[in-house]
Amino acid sequence: MAVLLIRRMIKILNKTILLFSLLLLVACGGRRGTVEITLVSTGDIHGRLYATDYLNSNERNGSMLHAASLVSQLRSEKKNLLYFDTGDMIMGAGESYYDMTSDFGNPSVLATLLDVMGCDAFVPGNHEFDMGIPTLDRFITSGEFPVVCANMIFEDNGEPYFPPYTIVEKQGVKIAVLGLTTMSINYKIPWELIDGLTVVNAVESAKKWVPYIQENENPDIIVALVHSGLRGGFKDDNICENEVLEMAQQVDGLDIIQYGHDHVENCTKVAGFEGDSVLLVNPGCHAKNAGVTTLELDFKKKELVSKRITSQLVPLKDIEPDKELVELFETRREEYVNYLDSILGTASTDITYDGYPYKQTSAMDYIHNILQRSMSSEVTLTLSVRGNNISQGDVTLRDAISFYPYENTLVSMMLYGREIDAALEEGFKNYRFRPSNIITAGGVNYKVDVSKPAGDRVEILSMSDGQPFVDKKLYRVTMDSYLAYSLGSPFIESLNISREKLKERVITTTRSDIRYHVITDFAIKEENGKSVQPVPNGEWSVVNYN
C-alpha cells in the first residue's frame, strides 16, 4: 500500500508540475525579457537516504531527504527549477545495500525518491556497476528519471548503452544535458559485470556530442553532467580518470559542468575553449552539500542576447527535513530498521579486528574462510580492511553488514606462486604510510620482516597444510574485486603481465559481494543449528614493525 501511495503521489506531483509549467509559460510568454532558471545538483551520495545512519545511530551531516527538502523548498520559491545527480548513488550505506540486495518486493527507494524530487537527469558513476548491470537496471527501471551517458558504449558497434543526452525546456529556454562518466569503470569493475561494454574518453566524447547537440537541438544552454573528478587520478595511455578541467578547456560550447567522483567540493569558473568561462560545480560527497546554480538569460525578440551564471554550495545539514517527505518514506524506513534488527545467527566467539593491521585477527581469518569456501580456492588474498567487530552470541543483520565495510565481489583466478609472493611484497612496500594496502593471505604460512628491504620482506614457508609452496606452480586464488581489478591496488601494481593477459587467468567473478556471503554463512549455519567459528587457514606474522 505504501508503494502504491508513493507512486500515486509521484503521478499527481508530476501532473501538477506540468500544469504549473504550462500556465507559467502562457503567463510569461516564453522567451521574453529575463528568464531565471535554478539548477540543483547532488552527487556521490553513496546511499545516504536517511538523516540517521541506522547502522550506528549517528546523525548525519546531510542526506537525500535533506536534499529533497531543499529541492521542495526551492520549487516553492522559484518559477523554473531543474534537479540533476552526478552518480555514485546506490552503493555505500546500509539503506542502499538493503535497497539493492534485499528489498526486492518494492521498487528501489532511492529511485522513488529521485522521482519525488523530479530528477531531470542522472548519470551513472562507477559504483553503480559494483554488482553488475542487472542491479543497476533494477534501480533505473524503478524510476522515471532520464539516465544519460554518452561514453559508455557497446564494444562491438560503438553505440552508447544509455541515451547520450536529454533536452529540458523551461519557459521556452532549451537546456541540453550531456551525460559522461569516468573511464576508471574499465579498471575498477570486473570485466564480467559489464561484459560487452566499455567506457571511452569523456573529453573526446564531449567533443563529438556537443557539436551534434548544437546542430540538431539548437539549445540555449549546454550542461555536462559528469561523473569524473577535476584532474589527476589514474592516467596512462589507456585511461584518464578525472577529466573535468581538461573538458572545460578543450570542449567548445559548454556552459556548465556539474560533476562528482573525486569527493572534492568545488564551485568556480575557469577559462573555456575560446576564453569564455565555464562554471564547474561539485557539491562534494555524502549529501553534505547541494550545488545551487542560477541562470539569468536575457532575450530580445525571443533571441538569447546575454546570460549570467552564478552558483553556490548549500550545506544540507542546515536544511530541516520536510515532514511530509519524511512521512512519505516512513514505512520504508521502518522496514529497513526491522531488517537490521533481525537475528541472523550466532557467533561462538568474538570475531574481532583487534591487532589490525600487523597481527593475524579472527576477523581477517573469517574473511579468508568466506573467500576460500565460496570459490574452493587453494589460496586467498584480501586487503587488510577494518570493519566493526562481531561479539559472541546473537548476530543481527546490522552486525553482519557493519562487519565488512565495502561492496566488493569475489574473483577467482590462476596465479603462479611467485605472483602471490610479489603481491604480498607489494602490500608491505609502504606499510607505514599505507597500512590499508597491506595484503593478507589464506591457505599459506608466511612471515614478514619489515626491517628488511622492500621486495625482500615476505617469506612464504609452506601451504597451510604443510605442503611445499612452489613459485612456478599455478594456484587457484580468490580475492576481493577491488584488489583484483582496481588501478592502484597493490596486486595490480605487483603484476608483470598485461591486464589482457590477466583477463585470461580469471576463472569466475561473482555478482554477490563479500557481505552477502557473510550473511549467507551465518544464516545457513543457523538453519543447521550451528554457530560461526572462524578457523585460521594458515598462519602469518609480522615482526619489527615498531
Side-chain angles (χ1 to χ4, degrees):
M1 289 296 293
V3 173
L4 292 174
L5 178 60
I6 290 173
R7 287 204 172 276
R8 288 194 192 103
M9 292 188 70
I10 291 171
K11 290 181 179 179
I12 293 170
L13 177 63
N14 288 339
K15 289 179 179 178
T16 302
I17 292 171
L18 178 60
L19 179 60
F20 178 78
S21 299
L22 290 172
L23 291 173
L24 187 62
L25 185 60
V26 171
C28 298
R31 301 163 66 87
R32 293 181 180 179
T34 299
V35 177
E36 181 178 301
I37 300 174
T38 301
L39 312 181
V40 180
S41 63
T42 54
D44 293 309
I45 299 297
H46 290 286
R48 287 156 173 80
L49 171 62
Y50 302 114
T52 301
D53 183 348
Y54 291 102
L55 289 176
N56 53 31
S57 299
N58 291 338
E59 292 300 309
R60 290 168 168 155
N61 288 326
S63 70
M64 277 301 288
L65 283 177
H66 285 87
S69 301
L70 174 65
V71 169
S72 177
Q73 174 187 317
L74 290 175
R75 282 197 192 280
S76 68
E77 301 170 357
K78 307 292 184 179
K79 294 180 179 179
N80 304 301
L81 185 140
L82 299 176
Y83 166 60
F84 307 128
D85 188 88
T86 58
D88 274 6
M89 170 69 71
I90 68 174
M91 294 294 171
E95 55 264 51
S96 59
Y97 187 77
Y98 170 64
D99 188 34
M100 289 294 103
T101 66
S102 300
D103 192 18
F104 297 126
N106 293 307
S108 164
V109 67
L110 290 166
T112 301
L113 180 55
L114 287 179
D115 277 350
V116 170
M117 294 172 71
C119 181
D120 293 282
F122 175 89
V123 63
N126 51 290
H127 284 292
E128 263 69 58
F129 300 90
D130 279 352
M131 294 186 184
I133 296 294
T135 300
L136 174 57
D137 282 348
R138 176 175 174 269
F139 167 69
I140 292 172
T141 57
S142 291
E144 298 177 359
F145 50 89
V147 178
V148 290
C149 186
N151 64 325
M152 172 166 268
I153 63 173
F154 290 98
E155 289 182 308
D156 58 357
N157 62 20
E159 292 297 314
Y161 179 73
F162 299 99
Y165 66 91
T166 187
I167 300 293
V168 187
E169 291 197 35
K170 290 289 183 181
Q171 204 171 327
V173 177
K174 184 182 282 190
I175 299 172
V177 185
L178 174 66
L180 299 155
T181 195
T182 174
M183 288 185 75
S184 67
I185 288 172
N186 296 338
Y187 300 90
K188 290 186 174 183
I189 304 300
W191 296 296
E192 294 89 339
L193 299 187
I194 54 170
D195 191 34
L197 301 174
T198 190
V199 180
V200 295
N201 186 280
V203 174
E204 295 305 314
S205 294
K207 289 178 180 178
K208 169 185 174 180
W209 283 101
V210 169
Y212 178 91
I213 292 169
Q214 290 172 324
E215 182 178 347
N216 291 276
E217 305 290 353
N218 192 29
D220 299 295
I221 295 289
I222 299 181
V223 177
L225 195 62
V226 185
H227 191 86
S228 179
L230 183 66
R231 58 187 161 196
F234 298 108
K235 187 170 185 177
D236 61 22
D237 293 339
N238 300 311
I239 177 176
C240 183
E241 182 175 10
N242 296 322
E243 303 183 77
V244 165
L245 183 59
E246 186 178 345
M247 187 182 300
Q249 294 169 340
Q250 294 189 17
V251 181
D252 187 21
L254 293 176
D255 295 288
I256 303 168
I257 302 178
Q258 307 220 2
Y259 73 101
H261 179 63
D262 58 9
H263 293 195
V264 179
E265 297 170 13
N266 188 25
C267 186
T268 189
K269 289 183 177 180
V270 299
F273 181 74
E274 293 186 344
D276 51 343
S277 65
V278 180
L279 175 67
L280 309 181
V281 181
N282 182 348
C285 63
H286 301 161
K288 294 177 182 176
N289 303 290
V292 178
T293 301
T294 301
L295 307 178
E296 293 179 290
L297 308 176
D298 298 323
F299 291 91
K300 187 175 183 180
K301 296 182 179 180
K302 296 190 176 182
E303 292 297 319
L304 179 63
V305 293
S306 64
K307 54 192 174 186
R308 295 171 298 282
I309 304 176
T310 57
S311 190
Q312 62 177 321
L313 300 185
V314 177
L316 289 175
K317 68 178 179 180
D318 299 335
I319 306 298
E320 186 70 24
D322 185 279
K323 291 182 179 179
E324 290 186 7
L325 278 171
V326 171
E327 290 175 3
L328 190 61
F329 289 89
E330 178 59 19
T331 299
R332 300 294 292 273
R333 187 198 68 82
E334 290 177 352
E335 290 172 352
Y336 167 58
V337 173
N338 290 337
Y339 163 86
L340 292 180
D341 290 337
S342 301
I343 301 296
L344 181 62
T346 58
S348 59
T349 185
D350 292 344
I351 306 175
T352 78
Y353 290 93
D354 297 348
Y356 165 93
Y358 302 124
K359 293 183 179 181
Q360 186 168 358
T361 67
S362 57
M364 291 308 299
D365 283 342
Y366 184 48
I367 292 170
H368 283 292
N369 291 165
I370 293 294
L371 294 172
Q372 192 277 326
R373 288 199 297 263
S374 299
M375 309 287 267
S376 300
S377 296
E378 298 165 278
V379 178
T380 55
L381 299 175
T382 188
L383 287 171
S384 187
V385 300
R386 182 165 193 169
N388 290 348
N389 296 339
I390 292 177
S391 299
Q392 181 181 7
D394 289 340
V395 175
T396 65
L397 276 158
R398 177 183 287 102
D399 298 325
I401 292 172
S402 302
F403 173 71
Y404 188 84
Y406 307 108
E407 287 97 358
N408 293 327
T409 56
L410 287 70
V411 181
S412 180
M413 65 178 70
M414 299 302 296
L415 294 177
Y416 286 100
R418 63 178 179 273
E419 293 170 330
I420 296 169
D421 181 79
L424 293 173
E425 288 282 7
E426 185 69 27
F428 276 95
K429 179 186 279 188
N430 296 306
Y431 71 98
R432 286 193 186 278
F433 304 104
R434 300 191 69 183
S436 60
N437 256 19
I438 292 174
I439 298 175
T440 65
V444 292
N445 300 314
Y446 64 101
K447 64 180 181 180
V448 183
D449 186 345
V450 294
S451 67
K452 292 183 177 181
D456 193 31
R457 291 171 172 165
V458 177
E459 181 183 2
I460 301 179
L461 305 172
S462 67
M463 301 298 291
S464 59
D465 61 3
Q467 293 295 312
F469 178 82
V470 182
D471 280 351
K472 296 181 179 180
K473 180 180 176 180
L474 276 170
Y475 294 94
R476 179 164 178 153
V477 180
T478 296
M479 64 184 77
D480 64 85
S481 56
Y482 178 87
L483 188 61
Y485 288 99
S486 288
L487 286 172
S489 92
F491 170 67
I492 295 296
E493 293 292 318
S494 73
L495 286 176
N496 286 319
I497 62 173
S498 68
R499 292 180 67 88
E500 287 303 312
K501 289 291 184 183
L502 178 64
K503 191 173 182 178
E504 296 172 4
R505 302 272 198 91
V506 174
I507 300 169
T508 186
T509 300
T510 67
R511 283 205 305 117
S512 51
D513 69 319
I514 290 175
R515 279 175 172 168
Y516 168 84
H517 290 275
V518 169
I519 291 169
T520 302
D521 187 52
F522 270 96
I524 290 174
K525 284 185 169 61
E526 180 72 9
E527 286 183 6
N528 290 283
K530 298 179 181 179
S531 59
V532 168
Q533 171 72 55
V535 178
N537 185 21
E539 296 181 356
W540 60 273
S541 62
V542 182
V543 297
N544 296 320
Y545 57 84
N546 290 325

